[in-house]
Amino acid sequence: MGSILIKNILLDGQPRNVLIEGKRFKSLSAAAGAVAQTVIDGTGKALLPGLYNMHTHAAMTLMRGYGDDTPLERWLEDYIWPYEAQLSSEDFHRGYELANREMAETGTVFFNDMYFSLEEAIDVVAKSGLRAALGLVVLDGHTHSIGPEVLDFLKTWKDPTGGRIRFTLAPHSIYTVSGAKLVRIARAARENGLPIHMHLAETRTEVSNCIRDHGMRPVAYLDSLGLLGPDIILAHCVHVNEEEADILAERQVTIVHCPCSNMKLGSGIFPYEHLIKAGCRITLGTDGASSSNNLDLREAMKFAALLSKVSASPDLLSASAVLEWATVRAAEAFGIDGGVIAEGKLADGILVDLNNVKMQPCYNLVSNFVYSADSSCIAGVLCDGKLIYQR
Amino acid sequence: MGSILIKNILLDGQPRNVLIEGKRFKSLSAAAGAVAQTVIDGTGKALLPGLYNMHTHAAMTLMRGYGDDTPLERWLEDYIWPYEAQLSSEDFHRGYELANREMAETGTVFFNDMYFSLEEAIDVVAKSGLRAALGLVVLDGHTHSIGPEVLDFLKTWKDPTGGRIRFTLAPHSIYTVSGAKLVRIARAARENGLPIHMHLAETRTEVSNCIRDHGMRPVAYLDSLGLLGPDIILAHCVHVNEEEADILAERQVTIVHCPCSNMKLGSGIFPYEHLIKAGCRITLGTDGASSSNNLDLREAMKFAALLSKVSASPDLLSASAVLEWATVRAAEAFGIDGGVIAEGKLADGILVDLNNVKMQPCYNLVSNFVYSADSSCIAGVLCDGKLIYQR
């Protein structure tokens, strides 16, 4: 069992010696002389929880900047889908590698992915050291959409990572997957203990088409199909009214807010006030790097907090609240025993360089990290008790 | 006269050898064997113009994160002004040093400052190598507000930087400086050939108080005092209607959009559509690090572009247009012969690390820089023909 001692690192305002044994934090107040296989000097650094990127299409990093500055529907139909149709397994592998590297360098320890070429994704995650929930994507008419045989594969699959990889069933959206198929997917998901991950209520067009086709808004439609529950993760939820917010809260749905993607594609402004007041579980994502245009969840925290302030109220979403969206709320959604720095919890975390000019002065560590920092302030990243990145 | 040869750097999609002699770009297609005092290997890097931060309170970096998550008026009155009242010259010096370092590390070559303790600012800028326009701040009742003696100082002042420093007169705002004094300041500015730099139309409260006190909205009020012209730089201009946008365009005023500050303080959403359609000269700023909470103008570009897309239209403000706001539009406002990479122009620029994971792949350099990059992608910064920062 590996062990790491991080000496003299700032935690909750105090310099501490943090001992990690195996995958977990053993002690947050270890003796300076505690024995460990690896000793890291934490002087001039602070320890914060690692980030959970709750909505990615990781290998789409291959399409970063491709078809920029175009509205969502045209961007998907004219640029993204034709490009994807031509991707080989090798391309996907490169895309996943690039994405995993970017996430590790920007402080992310977990990503909830919805994309293709599962074997490549597994191979890369096994090597990168991150945690991932890999979505088995269903998308009517798409070249890489999965069929029922994938569920058989899961039954015999052995996790090469000792628990860092899990799966979701991921029907793309209500406008690309029929209602009947959504019901079948939900049944399969629940029979196999898999969460469901899909897009919902991203654009005005999606809402008006849903009303046209089903006589209901998207949240009511999914609810009528029986999909809403604590095991569903809905990316975007931009066009959700107060009544729908209450339904999402009551069903204990997990919402993934992707501020940069929604802003860049002009999808709309997330209804912070409704969703926070309704008590919804809100988490954060970047979306694919082809829309957002990176996988930097720390940056997404700043965008979310600032957009909430200008669109709703300056004191609705503090730096520490948005950090919870980016960490522990997401861990809870997946039942991962992490997302906070605490003894006994999974040893994930970010070593923040306090000597970086963007972290100076430091009246408020979390405020500096959310509002001022960038990836140049990230000195190292721990995941599952291992140092997966060091600047 | 110093000279620098940057070999094999990507410029306009081609690898080039860039020769700098003295303060200017001598050749953008020099021979690989061209003689220079310093030779830099540009392989794996691209050259982009250096950024102009058009509204700062640089030494307020001392207050980064102090009084966070509070609305503007309370934040100023309860946190910022009492803190400022206690600052010593030494404190200001430290604040300017921190700010100059942060700006250099994040790609900024020029800042238009409005703050106190001019001598400290000059000393730091002389050493940092940046360009600056330092504002002589007038703020009724503030400890550090300047008096008329400063204009005498300027008459005898000798620039220790060979032209990197200039001055503005900087009345804080219409709510902190009387109309009669604004008129006197404008007269003094025009007699001395100094631009005017002030805040305008930042909050709804400012607008309603202006209507209450002067029977006009802020733009009309400043126009009635004779202040509007090509020599005035107005920070914020958030609460400006279409009619006012036309006045600002007609008077050739320079507007400084500070997206992060406006969002964080909940001031409001910049009226992108009016101001762009009216043909206003728009530039970008971070505002002080106490509100924004950093001085990273590259980040401000992403915020401006994304906020324009979600609040107006996804194709209103492209990555290349926002880069112009952050560079050449600002250089024009100050009559600085730079802001673009061109032979004969002042040799300012950013060496962008194309091997950084955030710059990969590179379908569109400017898109990657605006939407994906962060300061970890900045390998070096040139200003006035000197390498002022190297990662």
Side-chain angles (χ1 to χ4, degrees):
Chain A
M1 192 165 67
S3 58
I4 299 177
L5 179 68
I6 311 173
K7 291 177 82 164
N8 201 34
I9 193 158
L10 196 76
L11 179 64
D12 300 328
Q14 301 289 330
R16 313 271 198 123
N17 304 311
V18 172
L19 181 63
I20 296 164
E21 279 187 11
K23 301 176 178 208
R24 292 177 184 269
F25 290 113
K26 175 77 175 176
S27 169
L28 300 184
S29 52
V35 175
Q37 288 171 348
T38 306
V39 177
I40 297 172
D41 182 7
T43 309
K45 299 185 179 69
L47 187 59
L48 284 176
L51 307 179
Y52 282 60
N53 192 340
M54 284 288 278
H55 183 61
T56 57
H57 310 285
M60 283 183 92
T61 310
L62 291 173
M63 285 160 263
R64 194 197 306 276
Y66 180 69
D68 254 352
D69 300 324
T70 317
L72 180 75
E73 286 84 5
R74 233 182 73 212
W75 172 77
L76 282 176
E77 287 166 22
D78 295 355
Y79 291 90
I80 299 305
W81 288 338
Y83 187 113
E84 283 175 342
Q86 298 178 41
L87 293 174
S88 67
S89 299
E90 204 177 23
D91 295 328
F92 280 112
H93 200 273
R94 280 203 202 98
Y96 283 116
E97 279 181 335
L98 190 61
N100 275 247
R101 200 177 130 207
E102 183 182 346
M103 288 190 277
E105 292 189 10
T106 53
T108 289
V109 296
F110 171 88
F111 66 108
N112 179 34
D113 203 51
M114 182 194 284
Y115 213 52
F116 309 113
S117 205
L118 207 55
E119 286 177 37
E120 308 304 329
I122 292 168
D123 186 62
V124 170
V125 171
K127 290 169 186 157
S128 73
L130 273 80
R131 304 181 188 284
L134 302 175
L136 314 178
V137 183
V138 181
L139 176 51
D140 285 352
H142 194 288
T143 329
H144 303 285
S145 182
I146 62 153
E149 69 284 0
V150 175
L151 290 173
D152 294 332
F153 154 78
L154 290 185
K155 281 171 192 150
T156 58
W157 181 75
K158 297 276 175 273
D159 184 353
T161 70
R164 286 189 284 108
I165 293 178
R166 55 190 69 208
F167 299 96
T168 67
L169 283 194
H172 175 268
S173 66
I174 58 171
Y175 58 93
T176 49
V177 182
S178 71
K181 197 180 266 188
L182 286 173
V183 171
R184 288 202 301 279
I185 292 167
R187 192 184 311 128
R190 281 153 190 172
E191 282 170 8
N192 289 276
L194 298 172
I196 303 163
H197 177 199
M198 66 185 288
H199 299 102
L200 195 79
E202 182 173 3
T203 64
R204 285 177 195 87
T205 308
E206 180 185 339
V207 176
S208 57
N209 288 353
C210 184
I211 293 170
R212 181 195 65 197
D213 297 341
H214 310 292
M216 297 175 262
R217 292 174 61 89
V219 170
Y221 173 60
L222 269 197
D223 203 28
S224 76
L225 298 176
L227 263 78
L228 299 187
D231 59 350
I232 192 165
I233 296 151
L234 297 177
H236 302 305
C237 295
V238 173
H239 299 282
V240 164
N241 62 26
E242 284 178 72
E243 195 184 325
E244 291 171 293
D246 289 336
I247 298 172
L248 293 172
E250 199 177 310
R251 300 279 185 269
Q252 300 176 54
V253 162
T254 297
I255 293 167
V256 189
H257 173 34
C258 303
C260 292
S261 172
N262 298 160
M263 292 174 79
K264 175 129 186 299
L265 298 171
S267 305
I269 294 180
F270 189 72
Y272 297 95
E273 200 147 16
H274 303 346
L275 296 174
I276 290 173
K277 288 194 175 157
C280 292
R281 180 192 284 134
I282 306 173
T283 65
L284 277 184
T286 58
D287 208 345
S290 45
S291 59
S292 79
N293 292 6
N294 61 33
L295 300 172
D296 188 340
L297 201 73
R298 198 217 53 78
E299 186 190 80
M301 287 198 287
K302 180 165 184 175
F303 270 92
L306 267 56
L307 188 60
S308 77
K309 289 171 195 299
V310 78
S311 66
S313 157
D315 43 17
L316 186 67
L317 183 60
S318 66
S320 56
V322 80
L323 182 62
E324 289 182 0
W325 289 10
T327 55
V328 65
R329 291 290 92 77
E332 285 165 7
F334 270 101
I336 295 173
D337 194 23
V340 291
I341 308 288
E343 289 177 2
K345 293 284 177 184
L346 288 165
D348 301 353
I350 301 173
L351 308 179
V352 181
D353 177 7
L354 299 175
N355 294 319
N356 187 294
V357 66
K358 289 188 155 205
M359 295 299 296
Q360 289 284 341
C362 197
Y363 284 108
N364 183 332
L365 172 65
V366 171
S367 162
N368 275 7
F369 188 66
V370 171
Y371 296 134
S372 174
D374 67 15
S375 73
S376 71
C377 306
I378 296 178
V381 176
L382 293 160
C383 184
D384 215 37
K386 291 200 169 61
L387 195 64
I388 63 165
Y389 168 67
Q390 200 165 14
R391 184 169 294 275
Chain B
M1 191 166 68
S3 58
I4 299 177
L5 179 68
I6 310 172
K7 290 176 82 163
N8 200 33
I9 193 158
L10 196 76
L11 179 65
D12 300 328
Q14 301 291 329
R16 312 271 198 121
N17 303 311
V18 172
L19 182 63
I20 295 164
E21 278 187 10
K23 301 176 178 209
R24 293 176 183 270
F25 290 113
K26 174 77 174 174
S27 169
L28 301 183
S29 52
V35 175
Q37 287 171 348
T38 306
V39 177
I40 297 171
D41 183 6
T43 309
K45 300 186 181 69
L47 187 59
L48 284 177
L51 306 179
Y52 282 60
N53 191 340
M54 284 288 280
H55 182 63
T56 57
H57 310 285
M60 284 184 91
T61 310
L62 291 172
M63 285 161 262
R64 196 199 303 276
Y66 181 69
D68 254 349
D69 300 324
T70 318
L72 181 74
E73 286 83 5
R74 233 182 75 213
W75 172 77
L76 281 177
E77 287 165 21
D78 296 354
Y79 291 90
I80 299 304
W81 289 339
Y83 187 114
E84 283 176 344
Q86 299 177 39
L87 293 175
S88 67
S89 298
E90 204 177 23
D91 294 329
F92 280 112
H93 199 274
R94 280 203 201 97
Y96 284 115
E97 278 181 335
L98 190 60
N100 275 249
R101 200 176 131 207
E102 183 182 348
M103 287 190 277
E105 292 189 10
T106 53
T108 289
V109 296
F110 171 89
F111 66 107
N112 180 34
D113 203 51
M114 182 194 285
Y115 212 51
F116 307 114
S117 206
L118 207 56
E119 285 178 37
E120 309 303 331
I122 291 169
D123 187 61
V124 171
V125 172
K127 290 169 187 156
S128 74
L130 273 80
R131 305 180 187 285
L134 302 175
L136 314 179
V137 182
V138 182
L139 177 50
D140 285 352
H142 194 288
T143 328
H144 302 286
S145 183
I146 62 152
E149 70 284 359
V150 175
L151 289 175
D152 294 333
F153 154 78
L154 289 186
K155 282 174 192 149
T156 58
W157 181 74
K158 297 275 175 274
D159 183 352
T161 70
R164 287 189 284 108
I165 293 178
R166 56 190 69 207
F167 299 96
T168 66
L169 283 194
H172 175 268
S173 66
I174 58 171
Y175 58 94
T176 49
V177 182
S178 71
K181 198 181 265 189
L182 286 174
V183 170
R184 287 202 301 279
I185 292 167
R187 193 183 312 128
R190 282 155 189 170
E191 281 169 9
N192 289 277
L194 299 172
I196 303 164
H197 176 198
M198 67 184 289
H199 299 103
L200 195 79
E202 183 174 4
T203 65
R204 285 178 195 85
T205 308
E206 180 185 338
V207 176
S208 57
N209 289 352
C210 184
I211 293 170
R212 180 194 68 197
D213 297 341
H214 309 292
M216 296 174 262
R217 292 173 60 90
V219 169
Y221 173 59
L222 268 197
D223 204 28
S224 76
L225 298 176
L227 265 77
L228 299 188
D231 59 350
I232 192 165
I233 297 150
L234 296 176
H236 302 306
C237 296
V238 172
H239 299 284
V240 164
N241 61 27
E242 284 178 72
E243 196 184 326
E244 291 172 291
D246 288 336
I247 297 173
L248 293 172
E250 200 177 309
R251 300 278 185 270
Q252 299 176 56
V253 162
T254 298
I255 294 167
V256 189
H257 173 35
C258 303
C260 291
S261 172
N262 298 159
M263 291 175 80
K264 177 130 184 298
L265 298 171
S267 306
I269 294 179
F270 189 72
Y272 297 96
E273 200 148 13
H274 302 346
L275 295 174
I276 290 173
K277 287 194 176 158
C280 293
R281 180 194 284 135
I282 307 173
T283 64
L284 276 185
T286 57
D287 209 346
S290 46
S291 60
S292 76
N293 291 6
N294 61 33
L295 300 172
D296 187 339
L297 200 73
R298 197 218 53 78
E299 186 190 80
M301 287 197 288
K302 180 165 183 175
F303 271 91
L306 266 56
L307 188 60
S308 78
K309 289 170 195 299
V310 78
S311 67
S313 156
D315 44 15
L316 186 66
L317 183 60
S318 66
S320 56
V322 79
L323 182 63
E324 289 182 0
W325 289 11
T327 55
V328 65
R329 291 290 93 77
E332 286 165 6
F334 271 101
I336 296 173
D337 194 24
V340 290
I341 309 289
E343 288 178 1
K345 294 284 176 183
L346 289 165
D348 300 354
I350 301 173
L351 308 179
V352 181
D353 177 7
L354 299 175
N355 292 320
N356 187 294
V357 66
K358 289 188 155 204
M359 296 298 296
Q360 289 284 340
C362 197
Y363 285 107
N364 182 332
L365 172 66
V366 171
S367 162
N368 276 8
F369 188 65
V370 171
Y371 296 133
S372 173
D374 67 14
S375 73
S376 71
C377 305
I378 295 179
V381 176
L382 293 161
C383 184
D384 214 35
K386 292 199 169 60
L387 195 64
I388 63 166
Y389 168 68
Q390 201 164 15
R391 184 168 294 276

